[in-house]
Amino acid sequence: MNIDEKLEKIQEGTLEIVDIEELKAKLEKEHPVAYTGYEPSGKVHLGHAITIMKLKQLQSLGFKIKILLADYHAFLNGKGQLDEIEKTAEYNKKCFQALGLSEDTEYILGSEFQIKGRYSLEYTNNVYKLATLTTLKRARRSMDQVSRHDDNPKVASVIYPLMQTADMPALGVDVALGGMEQRKIHMLARESLEKIGEEVPVCIHTPLLHGLDGDDKMSSSKGNFIAIDDEEDVIKDKIKKSYCPKGEVEGNPIIEIAEHFVYPYHETLLIERPEKFGGNLELSKDELCTMFDNEELHPMDLKNAIAKYLIEFFRPAREFMAENYKDE
RNA sequence: CCCGCCUUAGCUCAAUUGGCAGAGCGUUGGACUGUAGAUCCAAAUGUUGCUGGUUCAAGUCCGGCAGGCGGGACCA
């Protein structure tokens, strides 16, 4: 596969690549490094899965993948005590493996290099340098979509983006991948890394999924997600309860799930529909959107189809988790 | 270090001179829709930050502690 073909593939399902020319240059390398950082989370859900799927694709295109289990970031973001967070990180690592990343994926616990080992001194020095270059307002603003809500915001919340920035040279990354909520941190990082003379990574942003309740963002804290290891009945139940207004494509979480978890892997979606409602359909992405928009496809029929696909899509992950992860 | 104010349901906040701890939102369950939502009906939810005291009776008054917010002082 040549570089232009790779570029095109990488762009699929992303909202932006900053910068595309830089990415092109990175693709000259035999094994460019791509990374995503995740705050350990009680549940790994569809939102996380979007980025993991993209990482899998990058892996298949020759990228070396590093996953940062960002324990300190979670700690700074008020997610609990470090020992708890590290248990959660172990669980998340299993989840990521369950989604099919290959054996040579590298999982790195943030604290391992951020505060331990010889490199931590250089790391800390970078964080301090960044601290002198970054205004409070800019740092705060970068955290708009990332910070946990806090009536009494802590200094931790402005250290967070600085550490995230310092992570990039520490991990030697060519590409930083994240959801759109990472954008402001990434843009700040690109500016700052340039200033301190470190390599500036390409940033790739994927869309955020709406919550099943129609909220702007699917997130663990809001409970409006489907987890990658949810049981079949749970998936059915959650889909059934989801917000899905008739005729409305925009911001419809069920339509979004079809876009991100069905169509990248199947040309068409089979919708099984009772005869009295018109019988079965096999729809391409465009057909589905058009029909739904025209109210020719009832939400319930769509939901049934999506639930079925999701159950199949995550079957391997679910089985992997059942076998490899014993909750204590 | 000193002074003042704040802390009540998951959230935002009520509660009269001390007199059965409440509302809205959210949650859950039903009704209505061939989904969800909206709407209607119903229900659940509390160590009133912790602690000691006064009182027949304390969310309410007094003392101590913790956390938070604001100010002052120190530096000078």
Side-chain angles (χ1 to χ4, degrees), chain A residues 38-40 66-73 82-93 106-116 167 171:
Chain A
Y38 299 92
E39 280 185 35
K66 296 187 180 182
I67 289 186
L68 175 65
L69 302 167
D71 55 348
Y72 254 89
H73 285 89
L82 276 171
D83 54 345
E84 291 293 327
I85 291 168
E86 278 168 30
K87 278 183 203 158
T88 307
E90 271 307 303
Y91 164 71
N92 284 189
K93 178 178 169 180
E106 200 176 333
Y107 296 90
I108 302 156
L109 200 58
S111 56
E112 278 172 19
F113 66 92
Q114 292 160 348
I115 66 157
K116 295 174 193 166
D167 288 341
L171 297 171

PDB file of all heavy atoms in Angstrom, chain A residues 38-40 66-73 82-93 106-116 167 171:
ATOM      1  N   TYR A  38      -5.285   7.077  28.025  1.00  0.00           N
ATOM      2  CA  TYR A  38      -6.615   6.898  28.610  1.00  0.00           C
ATOM      3  C   TYR A  38      -6.516   7.008  30.119  1.00  0.00           C
ATOM      4  O   TYR A  38      -5.693   6.336  30.739  1.00  0.00           O
ATOM      5  CB  TYR A  38      -7.184   5.517  28.290  1.00  0.00           C
ATOM      6  CG  TYR A  38      -7.357   5.239  26.819  1.00  0.00           C
ATOM      7  CD1 TYR A  38      -6.350   4.618  26.091  1.00  0.00           C
ATOM      8  CD2 TYR A  38      -8.540   5.589  26.163  1.00  0.00           C
ATOM      9  CE1 TYR A  38      -6.502   4.355  24.734  1.00  0.00           C
ATOM     10  CE2 TYR A  38      -8.704   5.323  24.812  1.00  0.00           C
ATOM     11  CZ  TYR A  38      -7.684   4.708  24.101  1.00  0.00           C
ATOM     12  OH  TYR A  38      -7.845   4.455  22.770  1.00  0.00           O
ATOM     13  N   GLU A  39      -7.364   7.840  30.685  1.00  0.00           N
ATOM     14  CA  GLU A  39      -7.499   7.804  32.133  1.00  0.00           C
ATOM     15  C   GLU A  39      -8.182   6.493  32.456  1.00  0.00           C
ATOM     16  O   GLU A  39      -9.244   6.211  31.896  1.00  0.00           O
ATOM     17  CB  GLU A  39      -8.413   8.935  32.614  1.00  0.00           C
ATOM     18  CG  GLU A  39      -7.765  10.285  32.700  1.00  0.00           C
ATOM     19  CD  GLU A  39      -8.720  11.323  33.294  1.00  0.00           C
ATOM     20  OE1 GLU A  39      -9.509  10.961  34.185  1.00  0.00           O
ATOM     21  OE2 GLU A  39      -8.673  12.480  32.863  1.00  0.00           O
ATOM     22  N   PRO A  40      -7.623   5.686  33.329  1.00  0.00           N
ATOM     23  CA  PRO A  40      -8.283   4.438  33.688  1.00  0.00           C
ATOM     24  C   PRO A  40      -9.730   4.713  34.101  1.00  0.00           C
ATOM     25  O   PRO A  40     -10.008   5.652  34.837  1.00  0.00           O
ATOM     26  CB  PRO A  40      -7.449   3.926  34.866  1.00  0.00           C
ATOM     27  CG  PRO A  40      -6.079   4.449  34.579  1.00  0.00           C
ATOM     28  CD  PRO A  40      -6.312   5.812  33.986  1.00  0.00           C
ATOM     29  N   LYS A  66       1.458   2.577  21.142  1.00  0.00           N
ATOM     30  CA  LYS A  66       1.686   2.685  22.586  1.00  0.00           C
ATOM     31  C   LYS A  66       0.403   3.195  23.223  1.00  0.00           C
ATOM     32  O   LYS A  66      -0.182   4.171  22.760  1.00  0.00           O
ATOM     33  CB  LYS A  66       2.831   3.652  22.880  1.00  0.00           C
ATOM     34  CG  LYS A  66       4.177   3.186  22.346  1.00  0.00           C
ATOM     35  CD  LYS A  66       5.300   4.111  22.822  1.00  0.00           C
ATOM     36  CE  LYS A  66       6.641   3.611  22.280  1.00  0.00           C
ATOM     37  NZ  LYS A  66       7.767   4.460  22.773  1.00  0.00           N
ATOM     38  N   ILE A  67      -0.012   2.521  24.259  1.00  0.00           N
ATOM     39  CA  ILE A  67      -1.190   2.976  24.995  1.00  0.00           C
ATOM     40  C   ILE A  67      -0.745   3.425  26.371  1.00  0.00           C
ATOM     41  O   ILE A  67      -0.130   2.668  27.122  1.00  0.00           O
ATOM     42  CB  ILE A  67      -2.251   1.862  25.081  1.00  0.00           C
ATOM     43  CG1 ILE A  67      -2.854   1.690  23.683  1.00  0.00           C
ATOM     44  CG2 ILE A  67      -3.320   2.212  26.114  1.00  0.00           C
ATOM     45  CD1 ILE A  67      -4.014   0.742  23.616  1.00  0.00           C
ATOM     46  N   LEU A  68      -1.059   4.665  26.644  1.00  0.00           N
ATOM     47  CA  LEU A  68      -0.702   5.220  27.948  1.00  0.00           C
ATOM     48  C   LEU A  68      -1.865   4.990  28.909  1.00  0.00           C
ATOM     49  O   LEU A  68      -2.978   5.472  28.678  1.00  0.00           O
ATOM     50  CB  LEU A  68      -0.415   6.721  27.827  1.00  0.00           C
ATOM     51  CG  LEU A  68      -0.152   7.448  29.143  1.00  0.00           C
ATOM     52  CD1 LEU A  68       1.122   6.943  29.805  1.00  0.00           C
ATOM     53  CD2 LEU A  68      -0.091   8.948  28.925  1.00  0.00           C
ATOM     54  N   LEU A  69      -1.600   4.235  29.952  1.00  0.00           N
ATOM     55  CA  LEU A  69      -2.583   4.076  31.022  1.00  0.00           C
ATOM     56  C   LEU A  69      -2.292   5.214  31.996  1.00  0.00           C
ATOM     57  O   LEU A  69      -1.385   5.137  32.821  1.00  0.00           O
ATOM     58  CB  LEU A  69      -2.430   2.705  31.678  1.00  0.00           C
ATOM     59  CG  LEU A  69      -2.584   1.535  30.681  1.00  0.00           C
ATOM     60  CD1 LEU A  69      -2.108   0.225  31.293  1.00  0.00           C
ATOM     61  CD2 LEU A  69      -4.016   1.415  30.184  1.00  0.00           C
ATOM     62  N   ALA A  70      -3.050   6.289  31.839  1.00  0.00           N
ATOM     63  CA  ALA A  70      -2.687   7.562  32.457  1.00  0.00           C
ATOM     64  C   ALA A  70      -3.159   7.628  33.901  1.00  0.00           C
ATOM     65  O   ALA A  70      -4.094   8.353  34.241  1.00  0.00           O
ATOM     66  CB  ALA A  70      -3.256   8.705  31.623  1.00  0.00           C
ATOM     67  N   ASP A  71      -2.458   6.886  34.741  1.00  0.00           N
ATOM     68  CA  ASP A  71      -2.878   6.817  36.148  1.00  0.00           C
ATOM     69  C   ASP A  71      -2.754   8.165  36.851  1.00  0.00           C
ATOM     70  O   ASP A  71      -3.649   8.591  37.570  1.00  0.00           O
ATOM     71  CB  ASP A  71      -2.114   5.713  36.896  1.00  0.00           C
ATOM     72  CG  ASP A  71      -0.593   5.847  36.803  1.00  0.00           C
ATOM     73  OD1 ASP A  71      -0.102   6.646  35.977  1.00  0.00           O
ATOM     74  OD2 ASP A  71       0.101   5.156  37.567  1.00  0.00           O
ATOM     75  N   TYR A  72      -1.640   8.851  36.608  1.00  0.00           N
ATOM     76  CA  TYR A  72      -1.471  10.153  37.265  1.00  0.00           C
ATOM     77  C   TYR A  72      -2.464  11.188  36.762  1.00  0.00           C
ATOM     78  O   TYR A  72      -2.940  12.038  37.516  1.00  0.00           O
ATOM     79  CB  TYR A  72      -0.034  10.675  37.129  1.00  0.00           C
ATOM     80  CG  TYR A  72       0.697  10.547  38.438  1.00  0.00           C
ATOM     81  CD1 TYR A  72       1.384   9.378  38.756  1.00  0.00           C
ATOM     82  CD2 TYR A  72       0.631  11.560  39.391  1.00  0.00           C
ATOM     83  CE1 TYR A  72       2.008   9.236  39.981  1.00  0.00           C
ATOM     84  CE2 TYR A  72       1.247  11.421  40.626  1.00  0.00           C
ATOM     85  CZ  TYR A  72       1.934  10.256  40.914  1.00  0.00           C
ATOM     86  OH  TYR A  72       2.533  10.109  42.132  1.00  0.00           O
ATOM     87  N   HIS A  73      -2.782  11.112  35.483  1.00  0.00           N
ATOM     88  CA  HIS A  73      -3.786  12.047  34.962  1.00  0.00           C
ATOM     89  C   HIS A  73      -5.134  11.810  35.629  1.00  0.00           C
ATOM     90  O   HIS A  73      -5.816  12.767  36.005  1.00  0.00           O
ATOM     91  CB  HIS A  73      -3.899  11.915  33.438  1.00  0.00           C
ATOM     92  CG  HIS A  73      -2.743  12.531  32.716  1.00  0.00           C
ATOM     93  ND1 HIS A  73      -1.596  11.831  32.431  1.00  0.00           N
ATOM     94  CD2 HIS A  73      -2.540  13.780  32.255  1.00  0.00           C
ATOM     95  CE1 HIS A  73      -0.737  12.637  31.809  1.00  0.00           C
ATOM     96  NE2 HIS A  73      -1.288  13.824  31.688  1.00  0.00           N
ATOM     97  N   LEU A  82      -4.349   6.492  43.958  1.00  0.00           N
ATOM     98  CA  LEU A  82      -3.512   5.840  42.944  1.00  0.00           C
ATOM     99  C   LEU A  82      -3.613   4.324  42.936  1.00  0.00           C
ATOM    100  O   LEU A  82      -3.644   3.710  41.870  1.00  0.00           O
ATOM    101  CB  LEU A  82      -2.049   6.269  43.135  1.00  0.00           C
ATOM    102  CG  LEU A  82      -1.722   7.597  42.449  1.00  0.00           C
ATOM    103  CD1 LEU A  82      -0.331   8.065  42.871  1.00  0.00           C
ATOM    104  CD2 LEU A  82      -1.784   7.454  40.928  1.00  0.00           C
ATOM    105  N   ASP A  83      -3.676   3.707  44.117  1.00  0.00           N
ATOM    106  CA  ASP A  83      -3.707   2.238  44.118  1.00  0.00           C
ATOM    107  C   ASP A  83      -4.992   1.713  43.468  1.00  0.00           C
ATOM    108  O   ASP A  83      -4.971   0.738  42.717  1.00  0.00           O
ATOM    109  CB  ASP A  83      -3.511   1.682  45.534  1.00  0.00           C
ATOM    110  CG  ASP A  83      -4.516   2.271  46.530  1.00  0.00           C
ATOM    111  OD1 ASP A  83      -5.159   3.289  46.204  1.00  0.00           O
ATOM    112  OD2 ASP A  83      -4.653   1.707  47.619  1.00  0.00           O
ATOM    113  N   GLU A  84      -6.090   2.403  43.723  1.00  0.00           N
ATOM    114  CA  GLU A  84      -7.354   2.041  43.075  1.00  0.00           C
ATOM    115  C   GLU A  84      -7.260   2.232  41.561  1.00  0.00           C
ATOM    116  O   GLU A  84      -7.677   1.387  40.766  1.00  0.00           O
ATOM    117  CB  GLU A  84      -8.495   2.929  43.601  1.00  0.00           C
ATOM    118  CG  GLU A  84      -8.871   2.680  45.046  1.00  0.00           C
ATOM    119  CD  GLU A  84      -9.487   1.302  45.239  1.00  0.00           C
ATOM    120  OE1 GLU A  84     -10.178   0.827  44.315  1.00  0.00           O
ATOM    121  OE2 GLU A  84      -9.238   0.701  46.308  1.00  0.00           O
ATOM    122  N   ILE A  85      -6.711   3.389  41.194  1.00  0.00           N
ATOM    123  CA  ILE A  85      -6.603   3.727  39.781  1.00  0.00           C
ATOM    124  C   ILE A  85      -5.757   2.691  39.050  1.00  0.00           C
ATOM    125  O   ILE A  85      -6.064   2.298  37.916  1.00  0.00           O
ATOM    126  CB  ILE A  85      -6.006   5.138  39.614  1.00  0.00           C
ATOM    127  CG1 ILE A  85      -7.003   6.193  40.107  1.00  0.00           C
ATOM    128  CG2 ILE A  85      -5.642   5.407  38.161  1.00  0.00           C
ATOM    129  CD1 ILE A  85      -6.421   7.591  40.247  1.00  0.00           C
ATOM    130  N   GLU A  86      -4.728   2.215  39.715  1.00  0.00           N
ATOM    131  CA  GLU A  86      -3.863   1.242  39.055  1.00  0.00           C
ATOM    132  C   GLU A  86      -4.545  -0.103  38.854  1.00  0.00           C
ATOM    133  O   GLU A  86      -4.300  -0.793  37.861  1.00  0.00           O
ATOM    134  CB  GLU A  86      -2.530   1.130  39.801  1.00  0.00           C
ATOM    135  CG  GLU A  86      -1.619   2.267  39.349  1.00  0.00           C
ATOM    136  CD  GLU A  86      -0.382   2.468  40.183  1.00  0.00           C
ATOM    137  OE1 GLU A  86       0.125   1.480  40.743  1.00  0.00           O
ATOM    138  OE2 GLU A  86       0.072   3.629  40.269  1.00  0.00           O
ATOM    139  N   LYS A  87      -5.420  -0.459  39.760  1.00  0.00           N
ATOM    140  CA  LYS A  87      -6.229  -1.676  39.545  1.00  0.00           C
ATOM    141  C   LYS A  87      -7.123  -1.492  38.327  1.00  0.00           C
ATOM    142  O   LYS A  87      -7.274  -2.390  37.497  1.00  0.00           O
ATOM    143  CB  LYS A  87      -7.097  -1.967  40.772  1.00  0.00           C
ATOM    144  CG  LYS A  87      -6.346  -2.699  41.874  1.00  0.00           C
ATOM    145  CD  LYS A  87      -7.297  -3.006  43.022  1.00  0.00           C
ATOM    146  CE  LYS A  87      -6.501  -3.208  44.313  1.00  0.00           C
ATOM    147  NZ  LYS A  87      -7.310  -2.992  45.514  1.00  0.00           N
ATOM    148  N   THR A  88      -7.726  -0.316  38.259  1.00  0.00           N
ATOM    149  CA  THR A  88      -8.587  -0.016  37.120  1.00  0.00           C
ATOM    150  C   THR A  88      -7.780  -0.045  35.823  1.00  0.00           C
ATOM    151  O   THR A  88      -8.267  -0.510  34.792  1.00  0.00           O
ATOM    152  CB  THR A  88      -9.244   1.365  37.301  1.00  0.00           C
ATOM    153  OG1 THR A  88      -9.877   1.408  38.570  1.00  0.00           O
ATOM    154  CG2 THR A  88     -10.278   1.627  36.222  1.00  0.00           C
ATOM    155  N   ALA A  89      -6.537   0.429  35.897  1.00  0.00           N
ATOM    156  CA  ALA A  89      -5.685   0.439  34.711  1.00  0.00           C
ATOM    157  C   ALA A  89      -5.438  -0.990  34.212  1.00  0.00           C
ATOM    158  O   ALA A  89      -5.459  -1.250  33.007  1.00  0.00           O
ATOM    159  CB  ALA A  89      -4.364   1.130  35.022  1.00  0.00           C
ATOM    160  N   GLU A  90      -5.242  -1.903  35.136  1.00  0.00           N
ATOM    161  CA  GLU A  90      -5.058  -3.313  34.767  1.00  0.00           C
ATOM    162  C   GLU A  90      -6.283  -3.835  34.017  1.00  0.00           C
ATOM    163  O   GLU A  90      -6.177  -4.531  33.009  1.00  0.00           O
ATOM    164  CB  GLU A  90      -4.834  -4.168  36.027  1.00  0.00           C
ATOM    165  CG  GLU A  90      -3.388  -4.287  36.438  1.00  0.00           C
ATOM    166  CD  GLU A  90      -2.490  -4.760  35.291  1.00  0.00           C
ATOM    167  OE1 GLU A  90      -2.751  -5.850  34.729  1.00  0.00           O
ATOM    168  OE2 GLU A  90      -1.539  -4.026  34.946  1.00  0.00           O
ATOM    169  N   TYR A  91      -7.424  -3.485  34.563  1.00  0.00           N
ATOM    170  CA  TYR A  91      -8.676  -3.901  33.929  1.00  0.00           C
ATOM    171  C   TYR A  91      -8.802  -3.299  32.528  1.00  0.00           C
ATOM    172  O   TYR A  91      -9.137  -3.976  31.561  1.00  0.00           O
ATOM    173  CB  TYR A  91      -9.856  -3.482  34.813  1.00  0.00           C
ATOM    174  CG  TYR A  91     -11.200  -3.494  34.130  1.00  0.00           C
ATOM    175  CD1 TYR A  91     -11.814  -4.693  33.795  1.00  0.00           C
ATOM    176  CD2 TYR A  91     -11.849  -2.306  33.805  1.00  0.00           C
ATOM    177  CE1 TYR A  91     -13.043  -4.715  33.152  1.00  0.00           C
ATOM    178  CE2 TYR A  91     -13.077  -2.311  33.172  1.00  0.00           C
ATOM    179  CZ  TYR A  91     -13.669  -3.521  32.847  1.00  0.00           C
ATOM    180  OH  TYR A  91     -14.875  -3.523  32.206  1.00  0.00           O
ATOM    181  N   ASN A  92      -8.471  -2.017  32.421  1.00  0.00           N
ATOM    182  CA  ASN A  92      -8.562  -1.349  31.116  1.00  0.00           C
ATOM    183  C   ASN A  92      -7.625  -1.991  30.106  1.00  0.00           C
ATOM    184  O   ASN A  92      -7.968  -2.164  28.935  1.00  0.00           O
ATOM    185  CB  ASN A  92      -8.237   0.134  31.246  1.00  0.00           C
ATOM    186  CG  ASN A  92      -9.385   0.936  31.855  1.00  0.00           C
ATOM    187  OD1 ASN A  92      -9.360   2.161  31.888  1.00  0.00           O
ATOM    188  ND2 ASN A  92     -10.404   0.256  32.355  1.00  0.00           N
ATOM    189  N   LYS A  93      -6.446  -2.353  30.574  1.00  0.00           N
ATOM    190  CA  LYS A  93      -5.485  -2.996  29.684  1.00  0.00           C
ATOM    191  C   LYS A  93      -6.076  -4.274  29.098  1.00  0.00           C
ATOM    192  O   LYS A  93      -5.978  -4.529  27.900  1.00  0.00           O
ATOM    193  CB  LYS A  93      -4.205  -3.305  30.466  1.00  0.00           C
ATOM    194  CG  LYS A  93      -3.143  -4.023  29.662  1.00  0.00           C
ATOM    195  CD  LYS A  93      -1.892  -4.236  30.516  1.00  0.00           C
ATOM    196  CE  LYS A  93      -0.910  -5.184  29.825  1.00  0.00           C
ATOM    197  NZ  LYS A  93       0.303  -5.393  30.651  1.00  0.00           N
ATOM    198  N   GLU A 106       2.264  -1.750  23.109  1.00  0.00           N
ATOM    199  CA  GLU A 106       2.950  -1.472  24.366  1.00  0.00           C
ATOM    200  C   GLU A 106       2.015  -0.711  25.302  1.00  0.00           C
ATOM    201  O   GLU A 106       1.465   0.320  24.924  1.00  0.00           O
ATOM    202  CB  GLU A 106       4.204  -0.637  24.070  1.00  0.00           C
ATOM    203  CG  GLU A 106       5.229  -0.675  25.176  1.00  0.00           C
ATOM    204  CD  GLU A 106       6.501   0.084  24.780  1.00  0.00           C
ATOM    205  OE1 GLU A 106       6.808   0.187  23.568  1.00  0.00           O
ATOM    206  OE2 GLU A 106       7.168   0.580  25.685  1.00  0.00           O
ATOM    207  N   TYR A 107       1.846  -1.247  26.493  1.00  0.00           N
ATOM    208  CA  TYR A 107       1.001  -0.581  27.497  1.00  0.00           C
ATOM    209  C   TYR A 107       1.912   0.023  28.551  1.00  0.00           C
ATOM    210  O   TYR A 107       2.739  -0.672  29.133  1.00  0.00           O
ATOM    211  CB  TYR A 107       0.047  -1.581  28.142  1.00  0.00           C
ATOM    212  CG  TYR A 107      -0.941  -2.168  27.167  1.00  0.00           C
ATOM    213  CD1 TYR A 107      -0.633  -3.328  26.461  1.00  0.00           C
ATOM    214  CD2 TYR A 107      -2.155  -1.551  26.917  1.00  0.00           C
ATOM    215  CE1 TYR A 107      -1.528  -3.863  25.540  1.00  0.00           C
ATOM    216  CE2 TYR A 107      -3.057  -2.068  26.006  1.00  0.00           C
ATOM    217  CZ  TYR A 107      -2.737  -3.233  25.316  1.00  0.00           C
ATOM    218  OH  TYR A 107      -3.621  -3.742  24.415  1.00  0.00           O
ATOM    219  N   ILE A 108       1.744   1.307  28.750  1.00  0.00           N
ATOM    220  CA  ILE A 108       2.660   1.989  29.665  1.00  0.00           C
ATOM    221  C   ILE A 108       1.874   2.723  30.734  1.00  0.00           C
ATOM    222  O   ILE A 108       1.005   3.552  30.436  1.00  0.00           O
ATOM    223  CB  ILE A 108       3.518   3.003  28.886  1.00  0.00           C
ATOM    224  CG1 ILE A 108       4.297   2.273  27.788  1.00  0.00           C
ATOM    225  CG2 ILE A 108       4.468   3.732  29.833  1.00  0.00           C
ATOM    226  CD1 ILE A 108       4.695   3.156  26.635  1.00  0.00           C
ATOM    227  N   LEU A 109       2.194   2.404  31.968  1.00  0.00           N
ATOM    228  CA  LEU A 109       1.583   3.109  33.085  1.00  0.00           C
ATOM    229  C   LEU A 109       2.293   4.451  33.237  1.00  0.00           C
ATOM    230  O   LEU A 109       3.518   4.498  33.344  1.00  0.00           O
ATOM    231  CB  LEU A 109       1.750   2.257  34.351  1.00  0.00           C
ATOM    232  CG  LEU A 109       0.828   2.512  35.536  1.00  0.00           C
ATOM    233  CD1 LEU A 109      -0.635   2.339  35.149  1.00  0.00           C
ATOM    234  CD2 LEU A 109       1.196   1.566  36.677  1.00  0.00           C
ATOM    235  N   GLY A 110       1.532   5.523  33.224  1.00  0.00           N
ATOM    236  CA  GLY A 110       2.122   6.852  33.241  1.00  0.00           C
ATOM    237  C   GLY A 110       3.148   7.068  34.345  1.00  0.00           C
ATOM    238  O   GLY A 110       4.244   7.575  34.105  1.00  0.00           O
ATOM    239  N   SER A 111       2.788   6.642  35.553  1.00  0.00           N
ATOM    240  CA  SER A 111       3.676   6.901  36.689  1.00  0.00           C
ATOM    241  C   SER A 111       5.046   6.246  36.506  1.00  0.00           C
ATOM    242  O   SER A 111       6.028   6.717  37.075  1.00  0.00           O
ATOM    243  CB  SER A 111       3.028   6.400  37.984  1.00  0.00           C
ATOM    244  OG  SER A 111       2.694   5.035  37.868  1.00  0.00           O
ATOM    245  N   GLU A 112       5.111   5.197  35.696  1.00  0.00           N
ATOM    246  CA  GLU A 112       6.387   4.489  35.515  1.00  0.00           C
ATOM    247  C   GLU A 112       7.495   5.401  35.001  1.00  0.00           C
ATOM    248  O   GLU A 112       8.646   5.252  35.393  1.00  0.00           O
ATOM    249  CB  GLU A 112       6.224   3.318  34.535  1.00  0.00           C
ATOM    250  CG  GLU A 112       5.664   2.077  35.186  1.00  0.00           C
ATOM    251  CD  GLU A 112       5.336   1.005  34.162  1.00  0.00           C
ATOM    252  OE1 GLU A 112       5.854   1.072  33.029  1.00  0.00           O
ATOM    253  OE2 GLU A 112       4.541   0.110  34.506  1.00  0.00           O
ATOM    254  N   PHE A 113       7.140   6.307  34.111  1.00  0.00           N
ATOM    255  CA  PHE A 113       8.195   7.196  33.603  1.00  0.00           C
ATOM    256  C   PHE A 113       8.022   8.637  34.087  1.00  0.00           C
ATOM    257  O   PHE A 113       8.967   9.400  34.094  1.00  0.00           O
ATOM    258  CB  PHE A 113       8.243   7.157  32.063  1.00  0.00           C
ATOM    259  CG  PHE A 113       7.016   7.723  31.394  1.00  0.00           C
ATOM    260  CD1 PHE A 113       6.962   9.066  31.027  1.00  0.00           C
ATOM    261  CD2 PHE A 113       5.920   6.918  31.122  1.00  0.00           C
ATOM    262  CE1 PHE A 113       5.838   9.598  30.405  1.00  0.00           C
ATOM    263  CE2 PHE A 113       4.787   7.447  30.501  1.00  0.00           C
ATOM    264  CZ  PHE A 113       4.747   8.782  30.147  1.00  0.00           C
ATOM    265  N   GLN A 114       6.805   8.970  34.522  1.00  0.00           N
ATOM    266  CA  GLN A 114       6.568  10.350  34.954  1.00  0.00           C
ATOM    267  C   GLN A 114       7.221  10.662  36.299  1.00  0.00           C
ATOM    268  O   GLN A 114       7.731  11.765  36.500  1.00  0.00           O
ATOM    269  CB  GLN A 114       5.059  10.620  35.024  1.00  0.00           C
ATOM    270  CG  GLN A 114       4.401  10.631  33.647  1.00  0.00           C
ATOM    271  CD  GLN A 114       2.904  10.406  33.707  1.00  0.00           C
ATOM    272  OE1 GLN A 114       2.360  10.028  34.745  1.00  0.00           O
ATOM    273  NE2 GLN A 114       2.220  10.627  32.585  1.00  0.00           N
ATOM    274  N   ILE A 115       7.167   9.719  37.205  1.00  0.00           N
ATOM    275  CA  ILE A 115       7.776   9.995  38.515  1.00  0.00           C
ATOM    276  C   ILE A 115       8.804   8.959  38.943  1.00  0.00           C
ATOM    277  O   ILE A 115       9.408   9.077  40.000  1.00  0.00           O
ATOM    278  CB  ILE A 115       6.711  10.117  39.623  1.00  0.00           C
ATOM    279  CG1 ILE A 115       6.006   8.771  39.843  1.00  0.00           C
ATOM    280  CG2 ILE A 115       5.707  11.208  39.323  1.00  0.00           C
ATOM    281  CD1 ILE A 115       5.396   8.677  41.221  1.00  0.00           C
ATOM    282  N   LYS A 116       8.986   7.910  38.129  1.00  0.00           N
ATOM    283  CA  LYS A 116       9.975   6.885  38.486  1.00  0.00           C
ATOM    284  C   LYS A 116      11.026   6.787  37.388  1.00  0.00           C
ATOM    285  O   LYS A 116      10.787   7.171  36.252  1.00  0.00           O
ATOM    286  CB  LYS A 116       9.300   5.522  38.658  1.00  0.00           C
ATOM    287  CG  LYS A 116       8.319   5.471  39.814  1.00  0.00           C
ATOM    288  CD  LYS A 116       7.585   4.146  39.825  1.00  0.00           C
ATOM    289  CE  LYS A 116       6.382   4.208  40.767  1.00  0.00           C
ATOM    290  NZ  LYS A 116       5.471   3.073  40.551  1.00  0.00           N
ATOM    291  N   ASP A 167       4.307  14.005  28.051  1.00  0.00           N
ATOM    292  CA  ASP A 167       4.209  12.571  27.738  1.00  0.00           C
ATOM    293  C   ASP A 167       4.657  12.283  26.310  1.00  0.00           C
ATOM    294  O   ASP A 167       5.220  11.225  26.023  1.00  0.00           O
ATOM    295  CB  ASP A 167       2.758  12.074  27.874  1.00  0.00           C
ATOM    296  CG  ASP A 167       2.302  11.994  29.330  1.00  0.00           C
ATOM    297  OD1 ASP A 167       3.170  11.961  30.216  1.00  0.00           O
ATOM    298  OD2 ASP A 167       1.074  11.968  29.558  1.00  0.00           O
ATOM    299  N   LEU A 171       7.355   9.493  25.317  1.00  0.00           N
ATOM    300  CA  LEU A 171       6.998   8.232  24.671  1.00  0.00           C
ATOM    301  C   LEU A 171       7.513   8.173  23.231  1.00  0.00           C
ATOM    302  O   LEU A 171       7.363   7.156  22.556  1.00  0.00           O
ATOM    303  CB  LEU A 171       5.473   8.035  24.685  1.00  0.00           C
ATOM    304  CG  LEU A 171       4.841   7.930  26.086  1.00  0.00           C
ATOM    305  CD1 LEU A 171       3.320   7.952  25.987  1.00  0.00           C
ATOM    306  CD2 LEU A 171       5.299   6.653  26.786  1.00  0.00           C
TER     307      LEU A 171
END
